[in-house]
Amino acid sequence: MANLKSLAKETAIYGISSIFGRFLNYLLVPLYTATMAASSGAYGVITNVYSYTALLLVLLTFGMETTFFRFANKEGEDPRRVYSTTLCLVGGVALVFVALVLIFIHPLSAWMDYPDHPEYVATMFVCVAIDAFQSIPFAYLRYQRKALKFAALKLLFIVPNILINLLYFVGVPWLYGHEATRPLVSWFFDGSIDFAWAFYINLFCTASVTLFFRRELTGFRYVFDRRLAARMWHYSWPILVFGIAGILNQVADKILFRFIAPHSGQETDVQLGIYGAAVKIAMIMTLITQAFRYAYEPFVFNKSKEKDSKETYALAMKYFLIFTLLAFLCVTGYLDVIKYIIAPDYWEGLKVTPIVMVAGILLGVFFNLSLWYKLIDKTIYGMWFSLAGCVVLIAVNVVFIPQYSYMACAWGGVAGYGTATLLSYVFGQRLYPIDYPLKSIGVYVLLTAFFFALMQLVPASWPLWARLGVNTVLIALFVAHTVHYDFPLSALPVVGKYFRRKGGR
């Protein structure tokens, strides 16, 4: 239990930087959707370009974050030597990538269907190369258990990013609209907003964070150990493949959509923008999974040496699911309020939000299950599971997007993650069996499905306060069940003292 408390504490710190940071970034969603009408398709372009960068980030890190943790915790390995070799590998690949992008920028942007705007591609691809390099110092902070510095640096990117976006998309048009202040901005602003500035601002803020890694990038002798690098690559290449497959499960729909959507011209970007805005609301599941992963990955490798490790992993899975299912109910239960994050002309896409959240839960379960093949150094299994899920997702998208548009994208994610999760569980129970509390987990899943169904049955004609009231009661019942069976109040800090004195739960 002490180990789980430590995991929960670090997850909370990572969660604050990740979830709170992403929440701040959500401020950009109403900003972008308010200043970019759905009919313009501009937000669809942003959604598409960011999908490419997400895929490239996986390619440029090629599984080295996980590999670094594995080798840094191995007996007989020098953690500093592992870290130095990892930095050289990822940094070298990032530099080569940037050079190739700049050399072939015009044919590359034409292939991506942006022949008149190579600046979109160049800006964001350089940005993702910097992100890839930074992932290793960030991993080193996690290895050293410096969660607070990790969180601070993550927020250091987010806050300036939001402020500068607000300055350009709100402040600059306001200044331009007044004759007295127009000369201050007229040298770069002509009265119409250029959404490419979202990319430029991102690059500036990402590059700035690198300056704060002085201690993580200096003070030691850089060594590139070729033999170590070869062993690390042997471990990491299956992680790279299933990482590619995994990220394709998240972004393939947004990349494929522009090629096979049942729309023509700008309407494709319009529909992609509507879908992308609705998916942003569902991203809470990705945030929870990411926060959990930051703490869980180093925790797993450290805990693997202890006798009760499997019992701890089983409980961690259960508590992860409880938390994500509660988040699902909260988001869907208050969607009538949360939807104001995006502009009204994007609301038609909200029907995909619960579906995408289910896909996010399955992604989290798949990550939890992935520990077994990482611990026995059989990462190739993860590669095959992810590839199978990716094939299913792409097949669903290719077959059904022409008929069902972005609804096929949402269900494709559920099908892809569901396939990968099922395969990982079946093979894991054979090769590294863990006694997960399936009965208890099943009760929570059924309870969530039942409460969600009741929420959908509440008539839309009811007043908003009445609908929210019913949903609040249902969420409270879920919490009450959780407290009664798994989180007794007497075990909680601070308030637990009161309940223990009273002899209650």
Side-chain angles (χ1 to χ4, degrees):
M1 186 58 72
N3 286 299
L4 285 175
K5 288 182 179 179
S6 174
L7 174 63
K9 178 182 176 182
E10 291 189 20
T11 301
I13 296 173
Y14 292 126
I16 289 172
S17 65
S18 181
I19 296 176
F20 178 67
R22 290 292 184 92
F23 171 75
L24 290 177
N25 257 338
Y26 274 154
L27 295 176
L28 297 179
V29 179
L31 176 65
Y32 290 158
T33 56
T35 56
M36 306 173 195
S39 58
S40 71
Y43 195 69
V45 175
I46 289 178
T47 300
N48 181 251
V49 172
Y50 273 104
S51 298
Y52 281 103
T53 59
L55 175 60
L56 285 169
L57 184 60
V58 173
L59 286 168
L60 294 176
T61 54
F62 50 100
M64 278 295 152
E65 287 179 272
T66 299
T67 303
F68 165 71
F69 287 121
R70 180 56 176 162
F71 279 77
N73 284 285
K74 269 191 172 184
E75 291 186 11
E77 298 287 0
D78 179 4
R80 276 295 178 93
R81 196 175 190 85
V82 173
Y83 176 56
S84 175
T85 300
T86 308
L87 275 176
C88 293
L89 281 170
V90 178
V93 169
L95 284 173
V96 171
F97 171 76
V98 169
L100 291 174
V101 166
L102 297 179
I103 291 170
F104 298 104
I105 185 60
H106 291 290
L108 181 61
S109 56
W111 175 80
M112 291 176 62
D113 203 21
Y114 299 114
D116 299 326
H117 295 284
E119 68 274 13
Y120 298 169
V121 180
T123 301
M124 288 310 299
F125 282 14
V126 171
C127 183
V128 78
I130 298 172
D131 258 335
F133 176 71
Q134 288 179 356
S135 70
I136 304 307
F138 271 121
Y140 191 60
L141 290 176
R142 290 160 59 198
Y143 169 75
Q144 292 185 309
R145 311 291 286 271
K146 293 183 178 179
L148 288 176
K149 183 173 182 178
F150 179 99
L153 289 180
K154 286 291 184 181
L155 292 176
L156 185 65
F157 161 77
I158 294 166
V159 174
N161 187 39
I162 293 170
L163 292 177
I164 300 174
N165 269 280
L166 285 170
L167 178 62
Y168 176 77
F169 287 96
V170 177
V172 169
W174 185 89
L175 292 172
Y176 188 85
H178 295 76
E179 284 192 30
T181 53
R182 184 174 299 169
L184 296 175
V185 297
S186 58
W187 60 277
F188 70 92
F189 187 74
D190 62 2
S192 59
I193 291 176
D194 181 2
F195 67 85
W197 274 79
F199 302 146
Y200 305 149
I201 295 167
N202 196 321
L203 175 59
F204 171 77
C205 295
T206 299
S208 299
V209 172
T210 309
L211 301 175
F212 295 87
F213 280 118
R214 184 179 60 83
R215 291 189 177 181
E216 287 70 35
L217 297 176
T218 61
F220 61 93
R221 180 170 173 265
Y222 277 81
V223 175
F224 180 71
D225 189 325
R226 291 186 179 182
R227 291 185 179 180
L228 174 61
R231 289 190 290 121
M232 293 176 73
W233 169 247
H234 180 74
Y235 180 86
S236 71
W237 76 262
I239 299 177
L240 167 62
V241 176
F242 80 68
I244 294 171
I247 199 65
L248 281 174
N249 278 325
Q250 298 179 48
V251 303
D253 52 353
K254 302 171 189 68
I255 294 174
L256 291 171
F257 193 84
R258 296 189 93 239
F259 298 102
I260 59 177
H263 316 288
S264 59
Q266 186 176 318
E267 182 61 20
T268 298
D269 286 331
V270 170
Q271 294 301 313
L272 181 57
I274 291 172
Y275 173 63
V279 167
K280 282 291 185 181
I281 295 177
M283 286 296 288
I284 183 64
M285 286 304 168
T286 304
L287 303 182
I288 294 171
T289 301
Q290 185 184 56
F292 187 78
R293 177 190 167 217
Y294 283 149
Y296 193 54
E297 199 163 47
F299 170 83
V300 163
F301 290 119
N302 288 332
K303 180 68 179 174
S304 62
K305 303 168 187 176
E306 301 180 18
K307 292 182 179 180
D308 64 340
S309 59
K310 290 188 176 182
E311 290 82 357
T312 303
Y313 300 152
L315 285 175
M317 169 71 87
K318 177 180 175 179
Y319 294 145
F320 172 81
L321 269 170
I322 290 173
F323 189 57
T324 52
L325 292 173
L326 175 59
F328 173 84
L329 287 176
C330 289
V331 172
T332 55
Y334 297 112
L335 193 57
D336 283 332
V337 175
I338 297 173
K339 68 182 182 181
Y340 287 96
I341 290 175
I342 59 178
D345 52 344
Y346 290 85
W347 286 355
E348 65 179 83
L350 290 175
K351 53 183 175 288
V352 306
T353 300
I355 304 170
V356 176
M357 290 190 75
V358 171
I361 293 174
L362 290 171
L363 169 63
V365 174
F366 178 59
F367 175 77
N368 273 271
L369 293 172
S370 71
L371 64 92
W372 68 263
Y373 50 76
K374 292 177 182 177
L375 289 174
I376 64 173
D377 293 346
K378 297 291 184 181
T379 50
I380 194 168
Y381 279 100
M383 178 191 77
W384 291 117
F385 302 152
S386 295
L387 282 175
C390 186
V391 168
V392 170
L393 178 140
I394 291 175
V396 170
N397 277 270
V398 170
V399 173
F400 294 108
I401 282 180
Q403 184 175 358
Y404 297 103
S405 190
Y406 55 72
M407 288 300 295
C409 299
W411 283 111
V414 174
Y417 287 132
T419 299
T421 299
L422 181 62
L423 289 172
S424 185
Y425 176 76
V426 171
F427 280 84
Q429 291 304 98
R430 294 179 181 178
L431 300 175
Y432 193 86
I434 296 176
D435 187 18
Y436 293 109
L438 296 181
K439 182 178 179 180
S440 179
I441 288 174
V443 169
Y444 278 103
V445 171
L446 291 175
L447 197 62
T448 302
F450 177 65
F451 287 160
F452 175 71
L454 291 179
M455 289 178 181
Q456 304 312 300
L457 292 175
V458 176
S461 59
W462 283 19
L464 176 62
W465 64 267
R467 298 199 306 272
L468 295 180
V470 171
N471 293 348
T472 300
V473 170
L474 294 174
I475 293 170
L477 289 174
F478 182 92
V479 172
H481 175 88
T482 303
V483 169
H484 181 75
Y485 288 101
D486 289 290
F487 288 98
L489 296 176
S490 58
L492 296 176
V494 184
V495 296
K497 295 180 180 179
Y498 172 81
F499 282 92
R500 285 193 292 272
R501 287 200 302 267
K502 296 293 184 180
R505 295 188 62 83

